[in-house]
Amino acid sequence: MNTTTVNREPLHVAILKNVITVVLSLAIIYINGTLVHTFRKHQVFNTNSRYILYIHLVINDIITLSMTILLQVLIYIIYTLNVSFCIIMLMLSTSTGLNSPLTLAAMALECYLAICFPLRHPQICTVRKTYNVITVIWVLSLLTILPDLFIIIATRPAEYFHSRIFCLWANVFTNPVLTKKKDVTNILFLVIVWVILFYAYFRILFTAQAASVNAKKARNTVLLHGFQLLLCMLSFIYNISIDGLSILFPKDIPTIRYVISLLIQVMPRLISPMVYGIRDKMFREHLKRYLLPLNPAIHPKKVRKRTI
């Protein structure tokens, strides 16, 4: 069985890398957590399908970052992990990775319905239907990776799941058929999502009135979804990038793996808070109450008038 290994680094280098990743990831998780808290505390958000889908995307980012931090720290400290635990971590992070482009497609369709069918939008995009869509997204992502799990359970002895391994997808799921299946699935998902995004964008472009502020905002939102999808696609070239750079710089494999992980797994998670948390006026106003609690301009003191 061919596996990928990484040489250990000096202690001070490992500590520095982990501190950078953990601090940056926790900062992003805090921002995203504030968005989730804002969403939960205000009915105007949790009864709106657009914000429900958005917060699902944010929660996906939180899970992905949490898995990234946990895996990186454990690998640096313990180096090899229990295979069963590694499989759980990999499948959870892979599921959330597949959820992101599907959620972006759902958000683009919601924008399209809001602009092109404003009268039918409230009946189509109900809260219940939105949560049904989120359920379908999770089912699709799980159905994509569960066959890999079933195959490895059927082909590996029980002792294998109690052994230890350097926790990478390529080390656990070594069957070349599974690798091809994963590539085909990723390409299929991306093609479907890109078709939906282009369809939504051009229907909004040609159907809505050019002077409509909401139409322009919807077009810009769909464009941002396209940019987010490009960032999602970076995860699909993760292994290719590492393999290519490792051939050119064989002595710097740990540094290459760390930098690419930071750029592909961590930094793109800064984009989601910007789309609605900063760009959306209503969300921004509510968010300020939590990020800037001491600002008197945002929290004017309410003076009660005494009745005589």
Side-chain angles (χ1 to χ4, degrees), residues 239-260:
N239 291 326
I240 297 175
S241 303
I242 291 178
D243 293 340
L245 291 174
S246 297
I247 295 173
L248 297 175
F249 308 98
K251 296 182 179 179
D252 300 317
I253 293 178
T255 302
I256 291 171
R257 186 175 296 278
Y258 171 78
V259 172
I260 291 180

Side-chain angles (χ1 to χ4, degrees), residues 7-301:
N7 296 325
R8 285 184 177 272
E9 295 178 306
L11 180 61
H12 69 281
V13 175
I15 292 175
L16 178 61
K17 288 182 177 180
N18 276 282
V19 168
I20 293 174
T21 302
V22 170
V23 170
L24 182 59
S25 298
L26 289 179
I28 298 173
I29 289 174
Y30 171 75
I31 296 173
N32 285 341
T34 306
L35 295 174
V36 175
H37 179 72
T38 304
F39 169 82
R40 290 181 65 252
K41 290 295 183 180
H42 298 90
Q43 190 176 6
V44 67
F45 298 130
N46 51 53
T47 57
N48 187 309
S49 60
R50 182 175 308 169
Y51 293 108
I52 294 172
L53 289 171
Y54 166 66
I55 220 65
H56 176 248
L57 188 66
V58 171
I59 293 173
N60 261 282
D61 287 347
I62 292 175
I63 296 174
T64 302
L65 279 178
S66 300
M67 295 300 100
T68 299
I69 295 173
L70 186 57
L71 272 177
Q72 179 173 311
V73 172
L74 288 176
I75 287 173
Y76 271 104
I77 295 175
I78 309 176
Y79 193 65
T80 57
L81 304 178
N82 175 270
V83 170
S84 298
F85 177 73
C86 175
I87 289 174
I88 294 173
M89 298 285 288
L90 289 175
M91 296 196 73
L92 183 57
S93 61
T94 303
S95 295
T96 55
L98 292 172
N99 285 344
S100 294
L102 294 177
T103 305
L104 290 172
M107 295 173 72
L109 286 176
E110 191 279 332
C111 284
Y112 157 69
L113 292 172
I115 297 301
C116 299
F117 301 97
L119 298 179
R120 296 180 58 190
H121 176 265
Q123 288 76 35
I124 298 174
C125 299
T126 63
V127 172
R128 182 177 180 179
K129 289 180 180 178
T130 304
Y131 281 111
N132 288 340
V133 169
I134 292 174
T135 301
V136 170
I137 288 172
W138 275 96
V139 169
L140 285 175
S141 62
L142 289 174
L143 287 177
T144 301
I145 60 176
L146 281 178
D148 300 39
L149 177 62
F150 295 149
I151 290 174
I152 196 173
I153 290 175
T155 57
R156 296 287 184 182
E159 295 78 13
Y160 172 74
F161 298 95
H162 298 286
S163 62
R164 304 183 71 84
I165 196 172
F166 188 80
C167 192
L168 294 174
W169 185 276
N171 288 352
V172 178
F173 302 93
T174 56
N175 192 319
V177 176
L178 295 181
T179 302
K180 291 181 180 179
K181 179 189 111 10
K182 185 181 180 184
D183 293 339
V184 170
T185 302
N186 289 340
I187 293 173
L188 181 63
F189 271 42
L190 287 176
V191 169
I192 293 174
V193 174
W194 274 117
V195 168
I196 292 174
L197 286 179
F198 277 114
Y199 176 80
Y201 177 78
F202 285 108
R203 284 302 301 267
I204 292 172
L205 184 66
F206 295 118
T207 303
Q209 296 180 358
S212 172
V213 175
N214 290 332
K216 292 179 180 179
K217 185 177 179 180
R219 290 199 299 268
N220 293 336
T221 300
V222 174
L223 286 177
L224 281 173
H225 293 337
F227 179 65
Q228 287 177 282
L229 184 59
L230 287 175
L231 295 178
C232 291
M233 290 174 63
L234 292 177
S235 61
F236 300 139
I237 63 171
Y238 175 81
N239 291 326
I240 297 175
S241 303
I242 291 178
D243 293 340
L245 291 174
S246 297
I247 295 173
L248 297 175
F249 308 98
K251 296 182 179 179
D252 300 317
I253 293 178
T255 302
I256 291 171
R257 186 175 296 278
Y258 171 78
V259 172
I260 291 180
S261 296
L262 199 65
L263 294 177
I264 291 179
Q265 300 293 341
V266 179
M267 296 306 295
R269 311 302 164 187
L270 283 170
I271 301 300
S272 291
M274 295 174 59
V275 174
Y276 280 101
I278 297 176
R279 182 171 169 268
D280 186 86
K281 183 179 179 180
M282 184 165 60
F283 213 109
R284 184 172 65 246
E285 292 301 319
H286 286 83
L287 187 62
K288 285 179 181 179
R289 301 179 184 179
Y290 299 104
L291 295 181
L292 302 171
L294 300 178
N295 192 334
I298 298 173
H299 292 281
K301 294 182 179 180

